[in-house]
Structure formats: C-alpha cells, structure tokens
Amino acid sequence: MSDSPPWIGGVMVGTLLLAAGVLITYTLLPLPGQERLGRGNYLLAAALFAANIALPRLLRRVRRLRRRRAERSR
C-alpha cells in the first residue's frame, strides 16, 4: 500500500492519455488548433510525459522533507 494521495493516480493516467492523445491526433488527423502549433505538439506531448514522470517523484521528495521536519521537531 502506498502513502500517495488518492488523486495522484488519476493525474498520472490523465497526463499520459492527454500526451498520447496529442500525438495521435496530430499525426493522424490534426485538429484545427494543432496545425498552427506545428512541431510544438511534440514539445507539448513531451512536457506532459515529463510531468507524468516528475510529479510522483516531486511528491515523494516533499513527503520525505516533511517527515524529516516532523522528526526534528520532536
């Protein structure tokens, strides 16, 4: 069992699906706004994938810092 917040799973799945959706729609059937972005769609998808990886790591680091502060204040 993890001590992660309950919303982290939904955010991770959402960012993963959104990044995949951006790539799929841009390469197969570009939406009207996507054509203006051009190759920026790939940067957007990469940023979403990076957020998918970075968010749990960031939360883990914050939890570690909070635990250390709580142990020091005892």
Side-chain angles (χ1 to χ4, degrees):
M1 190 91 178
S2 174
D3 60 343
S4 295
W7 52 266
I8 191 69
V11 170
M12 288 182 66
V13 169
T15 56
L16 184 65
L17 291 176
L18 191 58
V22 167
L23 289 176
I24 290 170
T25 58
Y26 179 64
T27 55
L28 297 178
L29 182 66
L31 299 173
Q34 283 182 312
E35 290 180 352
R36 269 188 286 145
L37 268 178
R39 293 184 182 230
N41 288 299
Y42 295 118
L43 294 175
L44 176 63
L48 288 169
F49 279 127
N52 188 20
I53 294 170
L55 185 63
R57 291 180 181 196
L58 178 65
L59 288 174
R60 200 174 312 132
R61 186 170 291 168
V62 167
R63 273 185 271 139
R64 283 184 197 152
L65 289 173
R66 286 182 180 170
R67 283 185 202 143
R68 287 181 190 165
R69 285 183 188 166
E71 289 173 359
R72 288 180 186 171
S73 66
R74 290 181 188 174

